[in-house]
């Protein structure tokens, strides 16, 4: 019977251990690249699987689904999407400075469109991947480890001959840490690596004479050149990048702003986001210079065209784009990778040192392996040459032997028992033969045509070549300078064949400064209808249509075009709107709902009063609520920068009924739902702060509430209609604040 034991342990300790195990698994075996080959495990497995399947750069493409399925079944049992996504990214020349896979079909584009399904696309290795990443796998240059089910072997690291971690960069999110390394120019990285090999005490600043900075596949401009040495010293920092902008002068004196290169961070949906951001700048009136914007990008490259008005300042507009859109963006650098089995943030020197050490390790294992093979070849060649010199004796031994073992024993140990010789001299000579085991096997397997004179001469030449190789390999292994030269020569070949010109410019640029156009201050007229639609018209248009405007609109007032409009609501809120944000239109235009240009919500609150900020600053404001609370407030208290503030304090269940700025009004008339009217002097209302509830204006009956508020002036004969009865307001009997008032009977 199986012994089932219950182990008691602290829950927190078990959770801690489990989480650490999980975190390390993600860090080491999934999310972070190895500094030696610059590859994450999934990338390494895809490339190795393609190598195993024989999908070389000079052979036909194979279906991506075949590659993904084989990789998943043999090496990476974590789902096909992660494998295919990795394959796709390694083929995209706009993401990788040096694409490792040659994709055939739709592998996505720079604007964020995804690749076609893996059953439709095909792929094969790039030539550089075949040569510089997988070239020496057959020479025992790296260790192999069992796969997940121990049915296959996979390389722990690929024998990459270039610093791929720098060339292609890397991004990945692990547990508690992330890596974000920019791509670099292959030629510059190789030059920096050579400089480090020749002088390991070289400083980071000296290395940056060779490696200028990041080289993004999308081009662009790095604008903080002076900050780069610190970033490459520590491996952490922020690189500021801008898109490349050109100006095209077109007919009519207009200028087109053409974006030909985008920041690396805009790859994907960033371009469509940029277009919408420019449109938003126009809609919010941050700029009025744009006539049209179009994305004319194609497979030839990026081309985003922004048409400007005739007299627009193009350079000032570009500065606006730098400040308000992702045309200028930040790339956060964190050069984190797996080094010696643990995650480490490394500077440029540390990365180059890790790669140089790896190159020496690869070269040592490679040439040790080659030397062993040449030594074995040398032994066999020397045996064959020696055999050719005594070929008659060897033939006599072979003819006189009963079997292979007897002949081999004679060749190796000089045993002649059982072998028939023609002469005693031959038997004596046979006892003196001392071939090695390998030499004897080679002699026994040698074909007769090898005895032809030319073949013997070729064997001697081959032996001389083998001896030269042995001398060369021993020199490489014994002298570090010789090995360094071999590595440098290989790097030079890769640079010559695969190097390209730098795409990203590196400079120091001043911070973009956008100068807003000074707006000429003028008077305008604000119209708000009973449906909450607002518009701005010029004063001359209002004067011509004054009677119709006053009749059709609930609020009509003058305002400066640089000023603000204040909207008071029944919930006690004050919403402010810049006049510049209100559409300027014709008299018969419908206008724009207040909801669209402010925080006002027509579904939750009702407009009580609208006026200009300037008018408020000069006056006192009267507040009256449904529960008959009232107060005077200095209008200057509402001169606030926030879009929404509380204009007054309300008791539970109360709401604002009336807000009015005081001009020449002398009396106030409160009318309740139950028909009570109370008229009294405005002087009875005390001035309070906007945060106060106020004082009671009228004693209300149960469930009664103030419904309407009217104001009168001296010698004012204004009248209202109440339930069919005409009431002259100034004829009402005057009372005192906080009294019941008079009920009007109809």
């Amino acid at each position: 019977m199986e012994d089932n034991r219950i182990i008691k342990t602290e829950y927190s300790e078990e959770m801690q251990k489990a989480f650490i195990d999980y975190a390390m698994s993600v860090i080491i075996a999934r999310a972070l690249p190895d500094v030696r080959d610059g590859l994450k495990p999934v990338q390494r497995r895809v490339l190795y699987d393609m190598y195993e399947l024989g999908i070389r750069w000079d052979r036909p493409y194979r279906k991506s689904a075949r590659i993904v399925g084989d990789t998943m079944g043999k090496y990476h049992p974590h789902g096909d999407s992660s494998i295919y996504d990795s394959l796709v990214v390694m083929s995209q020349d706009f993401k990788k400075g040096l694409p490792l896979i040659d994709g055939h079909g739709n592998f996505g584009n720079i604007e964020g469109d995804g690749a076609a399904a893996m059953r439709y696309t095909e792929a094969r290795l790039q030539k550089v991947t075949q040569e510089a990443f997988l070239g020496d796998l057959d020479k025992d240059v790296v260790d192999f480890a069992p796969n997940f089910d121990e049915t296959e072997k996979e390389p722990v690291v690929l024998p990459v001959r270039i610093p791929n971690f720098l060339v292609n960069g890397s991004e990945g999110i692990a547990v508690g840490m992330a890596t974000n390394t920019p791509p670099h120019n292959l030629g510059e990285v190789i030059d920096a690596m050579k400089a480090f090999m020749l002088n390991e005490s070289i400083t980071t600043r000296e290395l940056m004479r060779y490696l200028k900075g990041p080289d993004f596949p999308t081009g662009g401009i790095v604008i903080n050149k002076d900050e780069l040495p610190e970033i490459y010293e520590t491996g952490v920092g922020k690189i500021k990048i801008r898109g490349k902008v050109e100006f095209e002068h077109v007919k009519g004196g207009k200028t087109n702003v053409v974006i030909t290169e985008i920041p690396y961070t805009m790859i994907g949906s960033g371009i469509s986001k940029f277009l919408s951001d420019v449109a938003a700048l126009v809609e919010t009136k941050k700029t009025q210079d744009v006539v049209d914007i179009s994305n004319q990008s194609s497979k030839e490259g990026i081309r985003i065209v922004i048409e400007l008005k005739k007299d627009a300042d193009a350079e000032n507009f570009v500065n606006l784009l730098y400040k308000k859109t992702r045309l200028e963006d930040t790339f956060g650098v964190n050069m984190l990778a797996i080094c010696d089995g643990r995650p480490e943030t490394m500077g440029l020197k540390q990365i180059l040192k890790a790669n140089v050490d790896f190159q020496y390790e690869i070269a040592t294992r490679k040439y040790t392996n080659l030397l062993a093979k040449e030594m074995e070849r040398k032994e066999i060649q020397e045996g064959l040459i020696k055999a050719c010199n005594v070929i008659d004796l060897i033939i006599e031994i072979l003819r006189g032997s009963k079997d292979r073992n007897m002949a081999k024993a004679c060749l190796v140990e000089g045993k002649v028992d059982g072998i028939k010789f023609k002469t005693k001299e031959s038997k004596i000579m046979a006892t003196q033969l001392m071939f090695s085991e390998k030499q004897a096997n080679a002699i026994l397997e040698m074909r007769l045509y090898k005895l032809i004179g030319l073949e013997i001469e070729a064997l001697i030449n081959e032996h001389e070549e083998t001896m030269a190789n042995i001398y060369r390999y021993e020199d490489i292994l014994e002298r570090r300078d010789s090995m360094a030269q071999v590595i440098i020569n290989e790097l030079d070949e890769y640079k010559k064949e695969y190097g390209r010109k730098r795409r990203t410019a590196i400079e120091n640029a001043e911070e973009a400064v956008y100068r807003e156009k000074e707006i000429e201050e003028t008077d305008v007229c604000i119209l708000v209808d009973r449906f909450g639609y607002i518009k701005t018209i010029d004063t001359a248009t209002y004067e011509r249509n004054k009677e119709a405007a006053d009749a059709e609109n609930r609020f009509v007032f003058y305002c400066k075009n640089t000023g603000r409009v204040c909207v008071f609501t029944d919930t006690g809120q004050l919403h402010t709107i810049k006049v510049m944000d209100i559409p300027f239109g014709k008299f018969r235009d419908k206008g724009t709902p207040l909801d669209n240009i402010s925080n006002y919500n027509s579904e939750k609150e009702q407009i009580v009063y609208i006026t200009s900020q300037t008018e408020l600053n000069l006056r006192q404001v009267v507040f009256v609520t449904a529960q008959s609370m009232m107060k005077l407030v200095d209008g200057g208290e509402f001169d606030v920068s926030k879009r929404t503030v509380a204009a007054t304090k309300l008791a539970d269940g109360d709401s604002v009924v009336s807000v009015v700025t005081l001009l020449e009004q002398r009396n106030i008339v409160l009318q309740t739902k139950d028909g009570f009217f109370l008229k009294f002097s405005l002087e009875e209302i005390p001035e309070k702060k906007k945060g106060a509830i106020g004082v009671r204006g009228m004693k209300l009956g149960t469930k009664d509430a103030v419904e309407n508020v009217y104001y009168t002036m001296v010698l004012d004969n204004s009248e209202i209609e109440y339930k069919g009865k005409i009431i002259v307001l100034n004829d009402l009997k005057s009372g005192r604040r906080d009294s019941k008032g008079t009920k009007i009977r109809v």
Side-chain angles (χ1 to χ4, degrees), residues 13 38 179 236 290 430 508 573 696:
E13 291 178 8
T179 181
V236 177
V290 178
N508 285 313
Q573 298 295 305
R696 190 166 64 180

Side-chain angles (χ1 to χ4, degrees), residues 7 72 107 112 129 289 362 400 407-408 425 492 504 533 678 744:
I7 300 172
M72 183 165 61
F107 274 81
T129 317
D289 293 335
I362 290 174
K408 185 176 178 182
E425 290 79 3
D492 285 338
T504 302
Y533 282 75
L678 175 62
I744 300 295

Side-chain angles (χ1 to χ4, degrees), residues 448-460:
L448 287 175
Y449 78 87
K450 288 287 186 181
L451 300 175
I452 299 171
L454 289 175
E455 287 294 328
I456 295 172
E457 188 178 333
L459 179 62
I460 293 170

Side-chain angles (χ1 to χ4, degrees), residues 85-258:
D85 289 347
S86 178
L87 186 149
V88 167
V89 169
M90 285 193 287
S91 73
Q92 293 175 329
D93 58 3
F94 53 85
K95 278 191 179 178
K96 296 293 181 184
L98 188 69
L100 305 180
I101 290 175
D102 180 7
H104 185 240
N106 176 13
F107 274 81
N109 59 36
I110 197 170
E111 296 188 33
D113 297 323
M118 58 185 169
R119 60 184 177 274
Y120 301 121
T121 60
E122 298 176 328
R124 65 184 176 190
L125 292 170
Q126 291 276 15
K127 186 180 180 185
V128 65
T129 317
Q130 184 67 42
E131 293 179 354
F133 284 64
L134 302 157
D136 291 325
L137 269 176
D138 58 343
K139 295 183 178 66
D140 188 34
V141 290
V142 293
D143 293 331
F144 279 71
N147 68 340
F148 62 93
D149 62 358
E150 299 189 359
T151 57
E152 302 279 344
K153 293 277 190 180
E154 61 175 314
V156 173
V157 63
L158 291 187
V160 178
R161 312 314 294 266
I162 56 177
N164 180 55
F165 181 63
L166 288 172
V167 173
N168 272 329
S170 183
E171 59 180 28
I173 300 171
V175 177
M177 58 185 70
T179 181
N180 206 29
T181 305
H184 296 81
N185 183 275
L186 174 64
E188 291 183 6
V189 171
I190 287 175
D191 288 342
M193 186 168 174
K194 286 161 55 182
F196 181 82
M197 290 177 69
L198 297 172
N199 176 19
E200 292 198 358
S201 61
I202 192 171
T203 65
T204 300
R205 286 185 179 273
E206 289 171 335
L207 281 171
M208 292 191 70
R209 295 176 188 168
Y210 307 96
L211 192 149
K212 311 294 184 187
D215 186 23
F216 297 105
T218 53
I221 306 165
V222 171
I223 62 169
N224 58 335
K225 181 180 179 181
D226 288 347
E227 295 176 18
L228 294 183
E230 178 67 19
I231 293 172
Y232 282 99
E233 182 71 40
T234 61
V236 177
K238 292 181 178 179
I239 294 173
K240 294 179 181 177
I241 45 179
R242 286 178 180 172
K244 188 176 180 182
V245 177
E246 297 175 356
F247 299 119
E248 290 182 355
H249 300 288
V250 294
K251 291 180 181 178
K254 294 182 179 179
T255 302
N256 288 349
V257 172
V258 182

